[in-house]
Amino acid sequence: MKERKEFITPVACAIFIALVAYFIMESATPALLERVEQFGGIFSFNEISENSQKLDFKWNFLYTVFDFSQGPFLADIVGAICMLLGGVLGRYLEKINSPHAGTGTEGNGKRFAWLVWAQLVGLAVANIFWRHIVGWNGWVPTFGTLISVTPVAIVFFGKPNFKKAITGIILGAIAPVWCIRMLVTYFSNPLNLPMFAGIGLAIGGCNLLAIELFRFLPWMNDGEEAELDEEVEKMPVAVEKERKRASWYVWTRVFGGDLSELYFWGSSLSGLGILAGGIISYFMNPNTNGMGILFPKLMFCFIFTSALSMLIWGPKWKKEGFAFTFQALLFVGALVTKYSTWALAIPICIIAAFVAPALMHWAMTTKFFARYHPCVTVQLLAGVLAIISGFILNMIA
């Protein structure tokens, strides 16, 4: 209990900051929408989505850029740019052992460059394949490559190389996109379930099958173990001292770290970048990201849930160095995007903070899930929870 008490003050401050930011953005929304209607604004989410079907390079490029930030549910161009810049900065500061690196890139260190370029190329390949070759129109879930098979090939199979990256890019650009579209179209939508009910099952299932396939491919199992980063082995005293404080965990995890886990980077500066970029673009045009005017509420729910998770699971973070608090954010993003009234959103956040990390910890101790990368457990579990919660919420909403 004593260990948990030290988390109370920083958690309360984090929630207060999120609440103030929400009210400022919500209060400004009518004026922002009116200004955009009169004078125009930067590209909106719908404008980019619709024009990308014209197979024009500019619109396809913009679609790929905002696709880069669909993993954490935002789909925002400025947010995607800030997400990338924040990740690069976090990696650099980690490399020079700066105490300002936040969470760094959480063990992905020397894999980080491989991870980023493979995800970017995978998005581009998926967009070209499904739109230009197959000819799909409408919503094409090309973001699946960002959070599915492609990063698994980089982070789960030893030291990265081009053979592993290309394998992950090709399979990641095809399998998850097809599975997501099929399950959302023929499962989630007909049953009026959250979209993530289909997405979670699709990407989790694809990752599971991909890992089994990769184990049979000789070049994916070349025996080269990934090198540990020197900066992780020789953590500077300043960083070690910071990590003994509850406030360090709260500020780094709540404002970015948990959010960044959703796209495999685990960088608090990257997650903070996407939040900051989302706010900037919101004031330029509230409809520029995929959430539209729901963005302030979703941002608050993310921060509130992560803060509450740290209050509950913070002692585990300090004792063991990791806790699956980001699983709660995935659960919240899956549900709040559909059930967005405060009467439902707040209970969803509270239940997610208590239940989602606990279920994740339990699942990872089972023999079945221990065989796979945690992302399989995270995604499948989120999909199953979205299905169960969707049926329950549909009855009371």
Side-chain angles (χ1 to χ4, degrees), residues 67-104:
D67 221 11
F68 198 47
S69 60
Q70 284 213 56
F73 297 92
L74 299 183
D76 180 85
I77 289 181
V78 181
I81 294 171
C82 292
M83 160 186 159
L84 178 59
L85 294 176
V88 172
L89 177 60
R91 169 60 187 146
Y92 169 74
L93 293 176
E94 178 186 44
K95 190 173 183 179
I96 64 173
N97 288 333
S98 170
H100 304 297
T103 58

Side-chain angles (χ1 to χ4, degrees), residues 67 123 141-151 172 176-177 180 203:
D67 221 11
L123 285 174
T142 48
F143 70 90
T145 188
L146 175 83
I147 57 175
S148 189
V149 177
T150 301
V177 179
I180 291 171
I203 58 179

